[in-house]
Amino acid sequence: MVVIRDWAYMVRIRVLTNNELTWKKSFEVIMLWEFCSAIIPPVLGGGFAFAIYILNKEKISMGRSISVIMFTSFLDGMFFALIAPIVYFTLGHDLLFGVIEQGDAAKLSYGLGLAYFFWVVYFVVLAYKILVAYALFINATAVKIFLMKIFSIGFLKKWKEQATKTGIEMEIAALELKQQKGGYWLKSFAATCVSWSARFIIINCIIKAFSNVNFSHYVVYARQVVMGIINIASPTPGGAGLAEWLFGKLLGEFLPSATLALTLAMVWRLISYYPYLFVGAIVIPRWVKRVFTKQEIESES
């Protein structure tokens, strides 16, 4: 599943760059992107800005780099926008947010509190993705003006420069995306669905390997959708801490003991998070040597 996840990311980045990146370069880009995402909190955009820089150094024009990375973010958001209501309406509140026994006030409060937070994050992300969609496909200039006006308000002024930059990036991305054909959209979204599903199924495999408790793979998958959306609001790099806590709370009932839940949460992170720190550290020196000239390295330092 780890291999499938990264392979799907590589397919997506090749599709979005019209196969200008070789498989080797695609691997390096994805590893560097995952490395940046692992050290930058999701709430701050993960490795978004660094990903644009990485692509640009691969001789993809700045406009196209912005377009590709912004569109990947949009595709990720659309995956969650579609999958969240699907799992909610096919399973229902109780199965999605934990078994809530009648008369158990603690579980009821926990389940409702988690659900409220989940939907708040979901609708905030959905609203932003709708705004991005409007900018990318309808009127980017209007969105830029809207952002500039909003961030001209008193306490928001300190983010006005960043908002203006975002608006300009949306204009550039919109111009690039309007030139693309249907296959571009379908292949990239299919790769997005495969990559996220493979990421989730890693946990299904771990629980199946270590637990003798009968469980529904679909319920485990669905609860990871909840974990993925809530983790977007994490203030820590890679969602560290929050991800492990959610694992125990949402998936602990499928394991024979709380101790095993904690252990498997660490196993999960060792498989799906920490390797990118090590791989990234290995890839970075080789990538820098390949894409930078000696003068650029000296000036960067």
Side-chain angles (χ1 to χ4, degrees):
M1 288 300 107
V2 173
V3 171
I4 292 173
R5 166 193 165 180
D6 291 334
W7 170 80
Y9 278 142
M10 290 164 62
V11 169
R12 183 172 71 171
I13 202 70
R14 278 174 53 80
V15 169
L16 295 181
T17 57
N18 295 318
N19 293 327
E20 289 184 29
L21 294 179
T22 64
W23 285 106
K24 181 180 179 181
K25 290 181 178 180
S26 297
F27 174 78
E28 291 182 343
V29 167
I30 295 303
M31 290 302 106
L32 291 173
W33 191 349
E34 290 291 337
F35 174 81
C36 294
S37 297
I39 61 176
I40 301 173
V43 74
L44 297 180
F48 185 86
F50 285 98
I52 293 174
Y53 178 76
I54 291 165
L55 268 189
N56 185 234
K57 293 306 296 182
E58 291 289 355
K59 298 182 180 179
I60 304 295
S61 70
M62 181 57 72
R64 290 195 60 209
S65 296
I66 292 171
S67 171
V68 167
I69 301 306
M70 184 165 285
F71 191 51
T72 59
S73 175
F74 173 74
L75 289 170
D76 290 338
M78 288 309 300
F79 171 77
F80 280 109
L82 292 173
I83 198 66
I86 289 174
V87 298
Y88 182 81
F89 289 113
T90 54
L91 289 178
H93 176 92
D94 291 0
L95 276 177
L96 195 57
F97 295 100
V99 178
I100 302 175
E101 298 173 358
Q102 189 173 6
D104 192 332
K107 282 191 174 183
L108 181 64
S109 176
Y110 159 72
L112 289 176
L114 193 64
Y116 288 145
F117 187 68
F118 166 80
W119 287 117
V120 166
V121 176
Y122 172 81
F123 282 112
V124 168
V125 172
L126 180 62
Y128 177 69
K129 296 306 176 183
I130 290 173
L131 181 68
V132 172
Y134 181 79
L136 293 178
F137 308 118
I138 301 175
N139 194 338
T141 302
V143 172
K144 183 181 74 172
I145 294 172
F146 171 75
L147 289 174
M148 291 173 67
K149 287 183 177 180
I150 289 294
F151 285 90
S152 294
I153 299 173
F155 68 98
L156 295 175
K157 282 186 177 179
K158 62 180 179 179
W159 293 295
K160 183 178 179 180
E161 184 179 345
Q162 183 60 42
T164 302
K165 182 181 177 182
T166 299
I168 294 171
E169 290 175 347
M170 286 182 177
E171 285 186 313
I172 295 171
L175 290 173
E176 289 286 338
L177 290 173
K178 285 177 181 178
Q179 302 172 16
Q180 304 303 329
K181 298 180 180 180
Y184 182 89
W185 316 103
L186 292 175
K187 291 177 183 177
S188 56
F189 186 65
T192 299
C193 293
V194 171
S195 62
W196 276 105
S197 292
R199 180 194 294 256
F200 292 157
I201 294 171
I202 290 171
I203 290 184
N204 290 66
C205 295
I206 292 173
I207 293 177
K208 185 66 177 177
F210 290 93
S211 176
N212 56 4
V213 177
N214 291 324
F215 66 92
S216 164
H217 280 284
Y218 182 55
V219 172
V220 172
Y221 179 98
R223 290 193 186 177
Q224 289 178 76
V225 174
V226 174
M227 292 168 61
I229 290 177
I230 291 177
N231 210 44
I232 292 173
S234 174
T236 59
L242 178 61
E244 289 84 351
W245 180 82
L246 286 170
F247 183 100
K249 291 295 183 183
L250 287 172
L251 304 175
E253 70 179 80
F254 305 119
L255 300 166
S257 69
T259 302
L260 183 59
L262 178 61
T263 302
L264 293 189
M266 291 304 300
V267 170
W268 165 52
R269 297 294 274 176
L270 285 171
I271 292 173
S272 63
Y273 170 65
Y274 293 107
Y276 295 105
L277 297 177
F278 296 106
V279 175
I282 294 171
V283 171
I284 285 175
R286 297 179 180 180
W287 180 78
V288 168
K289 185 177 180 180
R290 178 171 63 81
V291 302
F292 285 88
T293 63
K294 183 178 179 180
Q295 290 77 12
E296 286 178 318
I297 295 174
E298 291 174 350
S299 63
E300 290 284 337
S301 61

